[in-house]
Amino acid sequence: MTEIVLAALDDVPWERLESALGHSGAEMRLALLHLAGRGGAATEEDCHPLYDCLALGTGRVPSASTAALPFLVALAGDPDIGVRTELVRLTVYLSETVTAAEPDRVDPGWHETWRSQYPRFRALLADPCPGIRREALLLTAEPGVLLERWITEKDPAVRLPLLLRLGATAAGCADAEVVDRVRAAAAEVLRAGAPVMRVAAVHAWAAFAPRVPVRELDLLVEILSDPSVRHRFEEIWYEPDVDDAFSRADVVSRTARLLECAPDTALSFVVRLVGAARRTGDAPLCR
């Protein structure tokens, strides 16, 4: 695939494209060429020229960034490239920049080019590498696409963030049938899933039904205070764009924030966790 990307780079009129921060479009071509040329030896440092050309902190997506998008996604899907995770993240950052930017600061051709990459996004969601699949979850906000992955995904360290992503996308979805399917997925995990996944199901469901954590307080306290479960969070509680897994302490803090809509329940949550920690001698939980 790298050879195809290298050949296609020469078909783009880079010198006529607008870039950011005074960079020329031709510099974007060189940055992509350098990265592709490094292949499996590429490191994050090799991405720096690309970062400079994309200039994400400016809140602009000029035409050179639009032209670079298909090459970024193609390289991210190439198993012979050494920084694939970083390239997926970079693609996500571009998308987030577009979402946050004023419309007149986004190249008019961006949206059509982004839509043209949907088949490649789906391929990344099914990539053999779990880390790539996890990062690619942020490349789509379509619950239907994510529900397809939910049926086939087996790796718990991808399945958990996928469930969280489903909850987040359902929160903004107007399709009642799709929301019902996400609710059903969360309910099934809550009923029969492994302990850490059951906590994740509460978090996912809470994204579009904020009272669910209040209803499931007993379950949350039971699992989060169980010393035998403590280290399992660090095995599978990953989120896209975060390098390390979440510890139980991280999840306790996030769960407490879910209960801010019910102050009395939030207080009960903390008091009950402290009580359980004292009974089992779980000093980290008590802290």
Side-chain angles (χ1 to χ4, degrees):
M1 182 181 292
T2 300
E3 291 76 12
I4 297 173
V5 171
L6 292 174
L9 277 171
D10 292 332
D11 295 333
V12 178
W14 296 102
E15 66 282 354
R16 297 205 299 269
L17 299 179
E18 178 192 10
S19 191
L21 295 180
H23 294 282
S24 67
E27 288 179 83
M28 182 78 80
R29 174 187 174 277
L30 290 176
L32 290 164
L33 188 64
H34 169 75
L35 190 59
R38 291 283 289 161
T43 65
E44 186 175 339
E45 186 175 345
D46 291 305
C47 294
H48 291 174
L50 197 54
Y51 300 155
D52 292 340
C53 290
L54 292 169
L56 299 180
T58 63
R60 292 181 61 235
V61 180
S63 56
S65 297
T66 298
L69 176 63
F71 298 102
L72 283 177
V73 180
L75 291 172
D78 187 343
D80 294 327
I81 296 295
V83 284
R84 300 175 63 217
T85 299
E86 195 63 28
L87 292 174
V88 176
R89 288 182 177 178
L90 194 50
T91 305
V92 171
Y93 295 159
L94 270 171
S95 174
E96 291 173 345
T97 299
V98 171
T99 301
E102 295 295 328
D104 62 353
R105 294 176 64 82
V106 177
D107 174 56
W110 168 267
H111 298 288
E112 181 178 352
T113 302
W114 179 265
R115 286 191 293 270
S116 74
Q117 298 306 302
Y118 283 1
R120 284 177 171 171
F121 295 159
R122 284 177 177 261
L124 289 171
L125 285 168
D127 192 270
C129 175
I132 295 295
R133 298 201 301 276
R134 185 163 59 240
E135 295 299 330
L137 293 173
L138 294 178
L139 290 174
T140 179
E142 297 183 28
V145 173
L146 296 171
L147 282 164
E148 289 178 9
R149 280 307 306 165
W150 179 253
I151 294 170
T152 57
E153 182 59 61
K154 302 303 181 185
D155 190 318
V158 182
R159 196 164 171 80
L160 188 148
L162 172 54
L163 183 58
L164 296 177
R165 182 65 173 155
L166 277 168
T169 55
C173 182
D175 188 329
E177 181 180 351
V178 169
V179 174
D180 284 344
R181 291 176 64 195
V182 175
R183 183 184 294 108
E188 176 60 22
V189 174
L190 195 57
R191 184 187 68 81
V196 175
M197 284 296 297
R198 295 176 77 191
V199 175
V202 174
H203 280 246
W205 203 339
F208 58 95
R211 300 293 298 183
V212 167
V214 177
R215 186 190 72 199
E216 300 297 338
L217 180 65
D218 290 346
L219 176 142
L220 292 169
V221 171
E222 177 187 353
I223 295 175
L224 291 169
S225 63
D226 185 346
S228 69
V229 179
R230 174 183 171 187
H231 294 293
R232 296 183 192 174
F233 288 91
E234 297 173 10
E235 296 172 358
I236 66 171
W237 197 296
Y238 285 90
E239 295 192 16
D241 199 28
V242 180
D243 288 328
D244 299 321
F246 282 51
S247 67
R248 181 188 62 174
D250 297 325
V251 178
V252 167
S253 296
R254 290 201 165 202
T255 304
R257 289 199 290 272
L258 294 180
L259 295 167
E260 289 176 350
C261 64
D264 290 346
T265 305
L267 178 59
S268 176
F269 174 67
V270 174
V271 170
R272 291 175 63 181
L273 285 181
V274 170
R278 287 177 172 170
R279 286 192 300 273
T280 59
D282 192 340
L285 178 59
C286 198
R287 283 197 297 272

